[in-house]
mmCIF file of all heavy atoms in Angstrom:
data_model
loop_
_atom_site.group_PDB
_atom_site.id
_atom_site.type_symbol
_atom_site.label_atom_id
_atom_site.label_comp_id
_atom_site.label_asym_id
_atom_site.label_seq_id
_atom_site.Cartn_x
_atom_site.Cartn_y
_atom_site.Cartn_z
ATOM 1 N N VAL A 159 -3.189 1.082 1.034
ATOM 2 C CA VAL A 159 -4.173 0.232 1.701
ATOM 3 C C VAL A 159 -4.183 0.676 3.165
ATOM 4 O O VAL A 159 -3.221 0.553 3.883
ATOM 5 C CB VAL A 159 -3.808 -1.268 1.623
ATOM 6 C CG1 VAL A 159 -4.861 -2.151 2.298
ATOM 7 C CG2 VAL A 159 -3.694 -1.718 0.175
ATOM 8 N N PHE A 160 -5.335 1.209 3.561
ATOM 9 C CA PHE A 160 -5.392 1.843 4.890
ATOM 10 C C PHE A 160 -5.273 0.849 6.015
ATOM 11 O O PHE A 160 -5.578 -0.309 5.889
ATOM 12 C CB PHE A 160 -6.743 2.598 5.015
ATOM 13 C CG PHE A 160 -6.745 3.898 4.306
ATOM 14 C CD1 PHE A 160 -7.498 4.056 3.184
ATOM 15 C CD2 PHE A 160 -5.987 4.982 4.791
ATOM 16 C CE1 PHE A 160 -7.526 5.289 2.547
ATOM 17 C CE2 PHE A 160 -5.984 6.207 4.130
ATOM 18 C CZ PHE A 160 -6.808 6.362 2.996
ATOM 19 N N GLN A 161 -4.881 1.434 7.139
ATOM 20 C CA GLN A 161 -4.736 0.649 8.367
ATOM 21 C C GLN A 161 -6.077 -0.006 8.773
ATOM 22 O O GLN A 161 -6.094 -1.145 9.126
ATOM 23 C CB GLN A 161 -4.244 1.607 9.465
ATOM 24 C CG GLN A 161 -3.966 0.952 10.775
ATOM 25 C CD GLN A 161 -3.194 1.936 11.724
ATOM 26 O OE1 GLN A 161 -2.892 3.063 11.298
ATOM 27 N NE2 GLN A 161 -2.884 1.422 12.872
ATOM 28 N N GLY A 217 -10.305 -9.131 12.099
ATOM 29 C CA GLY A 217 -9.282 -9.726 11.206
ATOM 30 C C GLY A 217 -9.816 -10.107 9.853
ATOM 31 O O GLY A 217 -9.197 -9.924 8.846
ATOM 32 N N LYS A 220 -10.122 -7.025 7.698
ATOM 33 C CA LYS A 220 -8.842 -6.682 7.185
ATOM 34 C C LYS A 220 -8.486 -7.475 5.936
ATOM 35 O O LYS A 220 -7.982 -6.975 4.948
ATOM 36 C CB LYS A 220 -7.785 -6.949 8.255
ATOM 37 C CG LYS A 220 -6.615 -6.063 8.123
ATOM 38 C CD LYS A 220 -6.107 -5.600 9.456
ATOM 39 C CE LYS A 220 -5.111 -4.486 9.291
ATOM 40 N NZ LYS A 220 -5.093 -3.579 10.379
ATOM 41 N N ARG A 221 -8.762 -8.764 5.999
ATOM 42 C CA ARG A 221 -8.493 -9.609 4.842
ATOM 43 C C ARG A 221 -9.380 -9.280 3.666
ATOM 44 O O ARG A 221 -9.012 -9.343 2.534
ATOM 45 C CB ARG A 221 -8.595 -11.076 5.288
ATOM 46 C CG ARG A 221 -7.347 -11.490 6.013
ATOM 47 C CD ARG A 221 -7.331 -12.982 6.275
ATOM 48 N NE ARG A 221 -8.077 -13.361 7.470
ATOM 49 C CZ ARG A 221 -8.426 -14.601 7.756
ATOM 50 N NH1 ARG A 221 -8.145 -15.551 6.917
ATOM 51 N NH2 ARG A 221 -9.076 -14.813 8.845
ATOM 52 N N LEU A 224 -7.921 -6.409 2.071
ATOM 53 C CA LEU A 224 -6.731 -6.799 1.240
ATOM 54 C C LEU A 224 -7.156 -7.426 -0.047
ATOM 55 O O LEU A 224 -6.608 -7.154 -1.085
ATOM 56 C CB LEU A 224 -5.864 -7.787 2.050
ATOM 57 C CG LEU A 224 -4.457 -7.916 1.578
ATOM 58 C CD1 LEU A 224 -3.715 -6.596 1.743
ATOM 59 C CD2 LEU A 224 -3.710 -9.011 2.331
ATOM 60 N N TYR A 244 1.205 -0.246 2.208
ATOM 61 C CA TYR A 244 0.339 -0.950 3.176
ATOM 62 C C TYR A 244 0.542 -0.341 4.554
ATOM 63 O O TYR A 244 1.686 -0.356 5.083
ATOM 64 C CB TYR A 244 0.658 -2.399 3.250
ATOM 65 C CG TYR A 244 0.482 -3.208 2.001
ATOM 66 C CD1 TYR A 244 1.502 -3.408 1.119
ATOM 67 C CD2 TYR A 244 -0.766 -3.808 1.692
ATOM 68 C CE1 TYR A 244 1.360 -4.154 -0.057
ATOM 69 C CE2 TYR A 244 -0.960 -4.556 0.566
ATOM 70 C CZ TYR A 244 0.119 -4.725 -0.269
ATOM 71 O OH TYR A 244 -0.064 -5.466 -1.429
ATOM 72 N N ASP A 245 -0.531 0.121 5.146
ATOM 73 C CA ASP A 245 -0.417 0.672 6.496
ATOM 74 C C ASP A 245 -0.901 -0.363 7.518
ATOM 75 O O ASP A 245 -2.105 -0.664 7.643
ATOM 76 C CB ASP A 245 -1.287 1.931 6.635
ATOM 77 C CG ASP A 245 -0.910 2.759 7.844
ATOM 78 O OD1 ASP A 245 -0.077 2.287 8.650
ATOM 79 O OD2 ASP A 245 -1.397 3.898 7.988
ATOM 80 N N GLU A 246 0.034 -0.977 8.165
ATOM 81 C CA GLU A 246 -0.217 -2.013 9.184
ATOM 82 C C GLU A 246 -1.218 -3.069 8.705
ATOM 83 O O GLU A 246 -2.308 -3.244 9.295
ATOM 84 C CB GLU A 246 -0.690 -1.372 10.497
ATOM 85 C CG GLU A 246 0.330 -0.416 11.033
ATOM 86 C CD GLU A 246 0.196 -0.174 12.527
ATOM 87 O OE1 GLU A 246 -0.191 -1.146 13.236
ATOM 88 O OE2 GLU A 246 0.471 0.941 12.975
ATOM 89 N N PRO A 247 -0.837 -3.796 7.669
ATOM 90 C CA PRO A 247 -1.759 -4.741 7.073
ATOM 91 C C PRO A 247 -2.062 -5.972 7.972
ATOM 92 O O PRO A 247 -3.082 -6.631 7.742
ATOM 93 C CB PRO A 247 -1.047 -5.232 5.821
ATOM 94 C CG PRO A 247 0.421 -5.005 6.051
ATOM 95 C CD PRO A 247 0.449 -3.786 6.942
ATOM 96 N N THR A 248 -1.202 -6.213 8.945
ATOM 97 C CA THR A 248 -1.426 -7.401 9.797
ATOM 98 C C THR A 248 -1.824 -7.080 11.194
ATOM 99 O O THR A 248 -1.977 -7.969 12.061
ATOM 100 C CB THR A 248 -0.179 -8.322 9.802
ATOM 101 O OG1 THR A 248 0.956 -7.503 10.172
ATOM 102 C CG2 THR A 248 0.058 -8.925 8.450
ATOM 103 N N ALA A 249 -1.978 -5.757 11.485
ATOM 104 C CA ALA A 249 -2.333 -5.424 12.883
ATOM 105 C C ALA A 249 -3.689 -6.054 13.237
ATOM 106 O O ALA A 249 -4.650 -6.021 12.457
ATOM 107 C CB ALA A 249 -2.439 -3.878 12.999
ATOM 108 N N GLY A 250 -3.759 -6.630 14.392
ATOM 109 C CA GLY A 250 -4.965 -7.254 14.837
ATOM 110 C C GLY A 250 -5.289 -8.615 14.321
ATOM 111 O O GLY A 250 -6.319 -9.200 14.573
ATOM 112 N N LEU A 251 -4.379 -9.154 13.510
ATOM 113 C CA LEU A 251 -4.644 -10.500 12.949
ATOM 114 C C LEU A 251 -3.916 -11.559 13.864
ATOM 115 O O LEU A 251 -2.884 -11.265 14.397
ATOM 116 C CB LEU A 251 -4.089 -10.632 11.569
ATOM 117 C CG LEU A 251 -4.734 -9.761 10.479
ATOM 118 C CD1 LEU A 251 -4.184 -10.089 9.088
ATOM 119 C CD2 LEU A 251 -6.258 -9.885 10.484
ATOM 120 N N ASP A 252 -4.516 -12.736 13.868
ATOM 121 C CA ASP A 252 -3.855 -13.815 14.620
ATOM 122 C C ASP A 252 -2.601 -14.231 13.812
ATOM 123 O O ASP A 252 -2.488 -13.907 12.630
ATOM 124 C CB ASP A 252 -4.792 -14.991 14.934
ATOM 125 C CG ASP A 252 -5.185 -15.721 13.686
ATOM 126 O OD1 ASP A 252 -4.259 -16.174 12.899
ATOM 127 O OD2 ASP A 252 -6.393 -15.863 13.409
ATOM 128 N N PRO A 253 -1.689 -15.063 14.424
ATOM 129 C CA PRO A 253 -0.456 -15.307 13.744
ATOM 130 C C PRO A 253 -0.615 -16.009 12.391
ATOM 131 O O PRO A 253 0.133 -15.739 11.434
ATOM 132 C CB PRO A 253 0.274 -16.199 14.725
ATOM 133 C CG PRO A 253 -0.285 -15.905 16.049
ATOM 134 C CD PRO A 253 -1.694 -15.525 15.836
ATOM 135 N N ILE A 254 -1.567 -16.872 12.305
ATOM 136 C CA ILE A 254 -1.734 -17.585 11.036
ATOM 137 C C ILE A 254 -2.338 -16.674 9.969
ATOM 138 O O ILE A 254 -1.883 -16.633 8.794
ATOM 139 C CB ILE A 254 -2.615 -18.878 11.235
ATOM 140 C CG1 ILE A 254 -1.890 -19.788 12.191
ATOM 141 C CG2 ILE A 254 -2.880 -19.575 9.908
ATOM 142 C CD1 ILE A 254 -2.726 -20.923 12.712
ATOM 143 N N ALA A 255 -3.323 -15.928 10.374
ATOM 144 C CA ALA A 255 -3.900 -14.939 9.449
ATOM 145 C C ALA A 255 -2.859 -13.927 8.995
ATOM 146 O O ALA A 255 -2.821 -13.510 7.825
ATOM 147 C CB ALA A 255 -5.100 -14.228 10.053
ATOM 148 N N SER A 256 -1.986 -13.584 9.923
ATOM 149 C CA SER A 256 -0.861 -12.650 9.537
ATOM 150 C C SER A 256 0.037 -13.317 8.496
ATOM 151 O O SER A 256 0.406 -12.638 7.492
ATOM 152 C CB SER A 256 0.007 -12.321 10.782
ATOM 153 O OG SER A 256 -0.710 -11.559 11.655
ATOM 154 N N THR A 257 0.343 -14.546 8.661
ATOM 155 C CA THR A 257 1.172 -15.262 7.709
ATOM 156 C C THR A 257 0.528 -15.274 6.287
ATOM 157 O O THR A 257 1.163 -15.005 5.303
ATOM 158 C CB THR A 257 1.455 -16.680 8.137
ATOM 159 O OG1 THR A 257 2.049 -16.615 9.418
ATOM 160 C CG2 THR A 257 2.416 -17.395 7.194
ATOM 161 N N VAL A 258 -0.767 -15.511 6.329
ATOM 162 C CA VAL A 258 -1.528 -15.537 5.057
ATOM 163 C C VAL A 258 -1.372 -14.165 4.369
ATOM 164 O O VAL A 258 -1.041 -14.069 3.137
ATOM 165 C CB VAL A 258 -3.017 -15.828 5.301
ATOM 166 C CG1 VAL A 258 -3.855 -15.557 4.034
ATOM 167 C CG2 VAL A 258 -3.205 -17.239 5.716
ATOM 168 N N VAL A 259 -1.571 -13.114 5.107
ATOM 169 C CA VAL A 259 -1.527 -11.762 4.578
ATOM 170 C C VAL A 259 -0.058 -11.431 4.113
ATOM 171 O O VAL A 259 0.129 -10.825 3.027
ATOM 172 C CB VAL A 259 -2.045 -10.754 5.542
ATOM 173 C CG1 VAL A 259 -1.753 -9.331 5.144
ATOM 174 C CG2 VAL A 259 -3.558 -10.904 5.757
ATOM 175 N N GLU A 260 0.872 -11.760 4.928
ATOM 176 C CA GLU A 260 2.266 -11.497 4.592
ATOM 177 C C GLU A 260 2.678 -12.205 3.277
ATOM 178 O O GLU A 260 3.313 -11.540 2.433
ATOM 179 C CB GLU A 260 3.211 -11.914 5.731
ATOM 180 C CG GLU A 260 3.073 -11.042 6.956
ATOM 181 C CD GLU A 260 3.336 -11.763 8.238
ATOM 182 O OE1 GLU A 260 3.714 -12.967 8.222
ATOM 183 O OE2 GLU A 260 3.107 -11.167 9.303
ATOM 184 N N ASP A 261 2.294 -13.421 3.184
ATOM 185 C CA ASP A 261 2.627 -14.161 1.961
ATOM 186 C C ASP A 261 1.888 -13.615 0.754
ATOM 187 O O ASP A 261 2.407 -13.621 -0.359
ATOM 188 C CB ASP A 261 2.309 -15.657 2.150
ATOM 189 C CG ASP A 261 3.299 -16.321 3.059
ATOM 190 O OD1 ASP A 261 4.298 -15.659 3.448
ATOM 191 O OD2 ASP A 261 3.111 -17.509 3.398
ATOM 192 N N LEU A 262 0.691 -13.147 1.013
ATOM 193 C CA LEU A 262 -0.107 -12.591 -0.087
ATOM 194 C C LEU A 262 0.566 -11.285 -0.587
ATOM 195 O O LEU A 262 0.649 -11.075 -1.777
ATOM 196 C CB LEU A 262 -1.520 -12.307 0.468
ATOM 197 C CG LEU A 262 -2.482 -11.951 -0.664
ATOM 198 C CD1 LEU A 262 -2.895 -13.197 -1.426
ATOM 199 C CD2 LEU A 262 -3.708 -11.305 -0.057
ATOM 200 N N ILE A 263 1.008 -10.499 0.333
ATOM 201 C CA ILE A 263 1.642 -9.220 -0.033
ATOM 202 C C ILE A 263 2.851 -9.587 -0.928
ATOM 203 O O ILE A 263 3.056 -8.912 -1.960
ATOM 204 C CB ILE A 263 2.109 -8.437 1.201
ATOM 205 C CG1 ILE A 263 0.848 -7.843 1.877
ATOM 206 C CG2 ILE A 263 3.087 -7.363 0.878
ATOM 207 C CD1 ILE A 263 1.153 -7.220 3.243
ATOM 208 N N VAL A 285 5.635 -1.296 3.483
ATOM 209 C CA VAL A 285 4.744 -1.790 4.542
ATOM 210 C C VAL A 285 5.070 -1.083 5.855
ATOM 211 O O VAL A 285 6.222 -1.165 6.325
ATOM 212 C CB VAL A 285 4.846 -3.297 4.766
ATOM 213 C CG1 VAL A 285 3.893 -3.753 5.827
ATOM 214 C CG2 VAL A 285 4.634 -4.044 3.497
ATOM 215 N N VAL A 286 4.156 -0.388 6.438
ATOM 216 C CA VAL A 286 4.274 0.115 7.790
ATOM 217 C C VAL A 286 3.799 -0.962 8.735
ATOM 218 O O VAL A 286 2.706 -1.479 8.549
ATOM 219 C CB VAL A 286 3.486 1.425 8.009
ATOM 220 C CG1 VAL A 286 3.342 1.715 9.507
ATOM 221 C CG2 VAL A 286 4.165 2.610 7.295
ATOM 222 N N THR A 287 4.646 -1.349 9.606
ATOM 223 C CA THR A 287 4.213 -2.457 10.527
ATOM 224 C C THR A 287 4.932 -2.368 11.898
ATOM 225 O O THR A 287 6.008 -1.816 12.003
ATOM 226 C CB THR A 287 4.505 -3.787 9.850
ATOM 227 O OG1 THR A 287 3.985 -4.863 10.732
ATOM 228 C CG2 THR A 287 5.985 -4.045 9.648
ATOM 229 N N HIS A 288 4.285 -2.953 12.868
ATOM 230 C CA HIS A 288 4.899 -3.143 14.200
ATOM 231 C C HIS A 288 5.181 -4.630 14.398
ATOM 232 O O HIS A 288 5.798 -4.957 15.397
ATOM 233 C CB HIS A 288 3.951 -2.695 15.300
ATOM 234 C CG HIS A 288 3.815 -1.237 15.421
ATOM 235 N ND1 HIS A 288 4.816 -0.406 15.760
ATOM 236 C CD2 HIS A 288 2.740 -0.422 15.208
ATOM 237 C CE1 HIS A 288 4.394 0.887 15.782
ATOM 238 N NE2 HIS A 288 3.156 0.901 15.438
ATOM 239 N N GLN A 289 4.738 -5.489 13.490
ATOM 240 C CA GLN A 289 4.777 -6.914 13.755
ATOM 241 C C GLN A 289 6.126 -7.520 13.290
ATOM 242 O O GLN A 289 6.477 -7.375 12.099
ATOM 243 C CB GLN A 289 3.597 -7.618 13.000
ATOM 244 C CG GLN A 289 2.279 -7.090 13.435
ATOM 245 C CD GLN A 289 1.362 -8.231 13.783
ATOM 246 O OE1 GLN A 289 0.550 -8.083 14.717
ATOM 247 N NE2 GLN A 289 1.378 -9.363 13.117
ATOM 248 N N HIS A 290 6.739 -8.206 14.163
ATOM 249 C CA HIS A 290 8.025 -8.849 13.817
ATOM 250 C C HIS A 290 7.839 -9.847 12.681
ATOM 251 O O HIS A 290 8.707 -9.940 11.779
ATOM 252 C CB HIS A 290 8.644 -9.534 15.054
ATOM 253 C CG HIS A 290 9.391 -8.562 15.900
ATOM 254 N ND1 HIS A 290 10.766 -8.619 16.104
ATOM 255 C CD2 HIS A 290 8.923 -7.460 16.594
ATOM 256 C CE1 HIS A 290 11.103 -7.616 16.907
ATOM 257 N NE2 HIS A 290 10.024 -6.905 17.198
ATOM 258 N N SER A 291 6.734 -10.558 12.716
ATOM 259 C CA SER A 291 6.555 -11.573 11.656
ATOM 260 C C SER A 291 6.443 -10.921 10.278
ATOM 261 O O SER A 291 6.966 -11.422 9.289
ATOM 262 C CB SER A 291 5.308 -12.417 11.926
ATOM 263 O OG SER A 291 4.145 -11.584 11.786
ATOM 264 N N THR A 292 5.801 -9.751 10.241
ATOM 265 C CA THR A 292 5.638 -9.043 8.967
ATOM 266 C C THR A 292 6.991 -8.527 8.512
ATOM 267 O O THR A 292 7.328 -8.563 7.311
ATOM 268 C CB THR A 292 4.603 -7.919 9.127
ATOM 269 O OG1 THR A 292 3.431 -8.440 9.660
ATOM 270 C CG2 THR A 292 4.337 -7.248 7.755
ATOM 271 N N ILE A 293 7.785 -8.021 9.479
ATOM 272 C CA ILE A 293 9.149 -7.525 9.142
ATOM 273 C C ILE A 293 9.931 -8.692 8.530
ATOM 274 O O ILE A 293 10.566 -8.554 7.461
ATOM 275 C CB ILE A 293 9.824 -6.984 10.388
ATOM 276 C CG1 ILE A 293 9.155 -5.709 10.873
ATOM 277 C CG2 ILE A 293 11.326 -6.766 10.126
ATOM 278 C CD1 ILE A 293 9.574 -5.220 12.210
ATOM 279 N N ARG A 295 8.921 -11.590 7.236
ATOM 280 C CA ARG A 295 8.344 -12.364 6.140
ATOM 281 C C ARG A 295 8.066 -11.517 4.915
ATOM 282 O O ARG A 295 8.091 -11.982 3.818
ATOM 283 C CB ARG A 295 7.058 -13.034 6.651
ATOM 284 C CG ARG A 295 6.745 -14.311 5.927
ATOM 285 C CD ARG A 295 5.639 -15.066 6.621
ATOM 286 N NE ARG A 295 5.253 -16.146 5.850
ATOM 287 C CZ ARG A 295 5.715 -17.388 5.996
ATOM 288 N NH1 ARG A 295 6.588 -17.651 6.996
ATOM 289 N NH2 ARG A 295 5.323 -18.363 5.231
ATOM 290 N N ALA A 296 7.728 -10.284 5.132
ATOM 291 C CA ALA A 296 7.145 -9.515 3.980
ATOM 292 C C ALA A 296 8.065 -8.438 3.415
ATOM 293 O O ALA A 296 7.804 -7.934 2.374
ATOM 294 C CB ALA A 296 5.790 -8.880 4.372
#
Side-chain angles (χ1 to χ4, degrees):
V159 181
F160 282 109
Q161 184 168 359
K220 205 141 192 150
R221 282 188 276 166
L224 199 65
Y244 296 94
D245 197 352
E246 299 203 35
T248 52
L251 298 186
D252 70 54
I254 297 167
S256 291
T257 303
V258 168
V259 168
E260 288 149 6
D261 288 354
L262 191 75
I263 287 171
V285 182
V286 163
T287 185
H288 287 295
Q289 302 230 144
H290 278 245
S291 67
T292 307
I293 291 170
R295 208 168 174 96

